[in-house]
Amino acid sequence: MKRNTKRKTGKPEREEIFEVKACRICKNNDLLEFFSLGAMPPPNLFPKSDDNLENEPFYPLDVYFCQHCGLVQLKHVVNPNIMFRDYIYITSGSNTMVEHFGRLAEELVKKFKLNSDSLVVDIGSNDGTLLSHFKRLGPRTLGIDPAENLVSVAAEKGIEQLPLLFTNQSAKKVRQKYGRAKVITATNVFAHVNDLHDFVRGLKTLLTNDGIFIAEFPYLVDLLEKEELDTIYHEHLSYFAIRPLLTLFEKHDLKLFDVKRLPVHGGSIRLYVRRGGKKTLTPVVKELLRLEERMGMETSKPYLDFAKKAYDKRRNLVKFLSDLKAKGKQIIGYGAAAKGNILLNFCNIGPEILDYIVDAIPDKQGRITPGVHIPVYPEAKLLEDMPDYALLLAWNFADEILEKNKEYRKKGGKFILVVPEIKIV
Ligand code: TYD
């Protein structure tokens, strides 16, 4: 496979990729590289089979631990215009997430007494799924998302969405036109942000004085415990634990006043943040800090252990699938998730092992996956073809996908799970 690796440095808005020299939060440069996946394609850029694949981009994917504040992060930043302007992932592709966001909107409307006077701004609003729940419950809504292709998709749900990257500067423009927000949400967005300080300044610009910022993203504790190596990719610049987040918000005189652990996306956390407030830590924050300490997360050990297990998993998965192929079994992939694309590229598993991948998102169907170029088809093909095994690449939706495919399983089809360990169900 040709690896057209780009390793430029320079200004983010101009270069395809640039490299930060210091920690995103504490600006220290004591960064330890503990895991390298090598050169990987941006996992949401699905080529068409007739594209000139010679020019397919591959960018370095190396993970660092800040030995000062504890932030786990990437140093290489792929230009957000390449990754987000034309975005293929849509939230409404999974019922689990649609229902999850319905519950989030209901909770926030009740807890913070939101009504038709309150503005809710969702950063990274994608196809408007979360905001459509808010809209149904009363508050005014506004989406902000750099994906130009999703403006009309959100509009179909009655959601106004501005095609912008959220920065302090864009926050000022939004405030001028729409006023301040009582609630700002950012689900699976905060980890995508390169300049976290500017983003947080933008929150302060746009929030009312009693406003609340709610963020959700995968929790580093879950990533380490369940060896979720494939959730590491270019879009995810930070892998958050609580400790470095406290440093970040304190710097801006914001208070992390509550945290909830969530089952979504392999284990996430939801942060509740407001201006000022007492400096004391809430019990739930203290409890999570104790957990992180017990896991030794302020030392390099759990990260080095994680890397070792990731290389073992690669070896074991390749052997496992090759053995099945040697027995003449047909294997396909289920869910052309970004994470799946990383797993397949990291393990160098291509169409010689997985005949194809099925996926619910229409824009992915008819394309090939980045890097290893496996064709993507609609989900119905699974039952039509009855392959022996389906490798569950969208493992974060295991319950939903296993339930949906009862018929395939009843007829003898089997799923292969890879997280937390490789097993057949
Ligand atoms: P997801 O894991 O949400 O995100 P990421 O791309 O960030 O890793 O992607 C899940 C993929 O799985 C997405 O392409 C939609 C697909 N999918 C199905 O094909 N069928 C389903 O029933 C579900 C829930 C998801």
Side-chain angles (χ1 to χ4, degrees):
M1 184 189 321
K2 187 174 170 356
R3 300 252 130 155
N4 185 15
T5 313
K6 318 266 167 96
R7 276 185 185 267
K8 292 181 194 160
T9 56
K11 284 256 166 27
E13 48 304 344
R14 272 179 254 134
E15 299 291 351
E16 276 180 60
I17 179 164
F18 71 103
E19 192 175 343
V20 294
K21 300 287 179 219
C23 170
R24 283 199 167 78
I25 289 186
C26 72
K27 305 296 173 196
N28 201 286
N29 50 21
D30 196 6
L31 298 175
L32 173 81
E33 182 182 329
F34 65 90
F35 182 41
S36 172
L37 291 95
M40 293 277 123
N44 270 320
L45 292 189
F46 287 70
K48 296 191 184 114
S49 47
D50 57 357
D51 282 351
N52 180 2
L53 299 171
E54 288 289 297
N55 291 332
E56 189 177 14
F58 283 78
Y59 302 115
L61 194 51
D62 310 323
V63 201
Y64 295 77
F65 165 61
C66 173
Q67 305 196 75
H68 189 68
C69 76
L71 181 67
V72 171
Q73 59 199 295
L74 306 186
K75 277 173 49 171
H76 292 99
V77 183
V78 178
N79 190 321
N81 283 330
I82 295 178
M83 291 193 291
F84 305 130
R85 189 174 275 173
D86 185 11
Y87 205 52
I88 203 160
Y89 174 81
I90 49 166
T91 310
S92 56
S94 124
N95 290 336
T96 310
M97 292 316 291
V98 174
E99 286 163 16
H100 171 79
F101 287 134
R103 286 191 296 273
L104 172 61
E106 276 158 25
E107 180 201 307
L108 298 183
V109 166
K110 202 161 150 204
K111 202 166 182 167
F112 302 113
K113 300 187 176 49
L114 306 180
N115 54 38
S116 55
D117 291 332
S118 329
L119 175 65
V120 176
V121 171
D122 187 27
I123 303 172
S125 39
N126 193 269
D127 62 356
T129 298
L130 174 58
L131 285 180
S132 63
H133 284 297
F134 277 109
K135 197 176 160 79
R136 150 177 84 76
L137 298 165
R140 289 185 295 130
T141 63
L142 178 68
I144 298 180
D145 195 302
E148 290 169 358
N149 61 314
L150 295 178
V151 172
S152 57
V153 183
E156 279 165 28
K157 298 188 176 73
I159 301 300
E160 182 179 359
Q161 189 156 297
L162 307 176
L164 296 174
L165 201 64
F166 186 79
T167 59
N168 192 24
Q169 203 183 6
S170 57
K172 284 179 189 162
K173 284 193 195 141
V174 171
R175 184 182 65 189
Q176 222 168 22
K177 180 151 181 220
Y178 298 86
R180 289 180 186 261
K182 179 79 191 278
V183 165
I184 298 181
T185 49
T187 59
N188 300 305
V189 170
F190 207 44
H192 298 56
V193 175
N194 177 40
D195 191 342
L196 286 168
H197 290 283
D198 181 69
F199 187 97
V200 175
R201 278 193 287 276
L203 294 175
K204 290 182 80 173
T205 297
L206 192 55
L207 276 176
T208 56
N209 282 338
D210 61 347
I212 309 288
F213 171 56
I214 306 289
E216 285 184 13
F217 41 77
Y219 187 27
L220 183 57
V221 164
D222 291 291
L223 187 155
L224 293 174
E225 281 183 337
K226 292 175 233 165
E227 295 168 36
E228 298 169 348
L229 74 99
D230 49 359
T231 59
I232 297 172
Y233 52 87
H234 312 90
E235 288 179 23
H236 299 156
L237 297 170
S238 301
Y239 303 83
F240 290 114
I242 298 292
R243 189 166 70 96
L245 285 167
L246 288 175
T247 310
L248 173 68
F249 290 121
E250 267 168 26
K251 262 204 161 80
H252 296 272
D253 200 22
L254 290 176
K255 167 104 174 156
L256 178 58
F257 68 93
D258 203 2
V259 178
K260 251 187 208 165
R261 286 187 80 173
L262 308 165
V264 294
H265 290 309
S268 297
I269 43 174
R270 179 181 300 156
L271 309 182
Y272 300 74
V273 179
R274 65 171 178 234
R275 283 176 210 269
K278 276 191 252 146
K279 285 272 181 256
T280 50
L281 298 175
T282 48
V284 55
V285 173
K286 275 190 197 159
E287 193 186 309
L288 291 179
L289 284 173
R290 276 196 298 271
L291 168 66
E292 292 173 8
E293 204 180 317
R294 275 201 305 279
M295 288 174 66
M297 285 169 67
E298 72 284 19
T299 71
S300 57
K301 184 167 185 317
Y303 310 106
L304 296 169
D305 288 351
F306 168 85
K308 186 184 167 308
K309 284 190 233 157
Y311 296 123
D312 289 348
K313 179 170 266 181
R314 170 163 68 182
R315 210 173 313 113
N316 294 339
L317 181 62
V318 170
K319 176 161 183 350
F320 186 86
L321 297 178
S322 308
D323 287 351
L324 288 179
K325 283 306 272 189
K327 288 184 197 148
K329 303 292 182 192
Q330 188 193 11
I331 317 171
I332 64 114
Y334 204 110
K339 60 176 75 58
N341 292 333
I342 290 297
L343 184 73
L344 298 177
N345 278 278
F346 178 59
C347 298
N348 208 1
I349 295 170
E352 68 294 343
I353 296 211
L354 294 188
D355 290 7
Y356 55 87
I357 298 178
V358 294
D359 194 282
I361 296 181
D363 282 352
K364 292 187 182 179
Q365 298 160 6
R367 292 182 176 251
I368 53 176
T369 61
V372 292
H373 303 156
I374 300 174
V376 183
Y377 292 107
E379 287 170 295
K381 192 166 166 63
L382 179 76
L383 207 52
E384 282 162 23
D385 290 2
M386 282 304 299
D388 301 296
Y389 294 94
L391 177 66
L392 187 51
L393 297 163
W395 48 259
N396 46 326
F397 296 121
D399 292 347
E400 185 174 341
I401 291 173
L402 292 180
E403 175 64 26
K404 192 183 208 177
N405 291 287
K406 277 198 288 212
E407 190 63 21
Y408 165 69
R409 296 169 66 203
K410 229 196 276 166
K411 288 187 163 163
K414 294 192 173 62
F415 276 92
I416 302 169
L417 303 191
V418 279
V419 170
E421 69 247 327
I422 303 165
K423 68 171 181 193
I424 295 176
V425 292

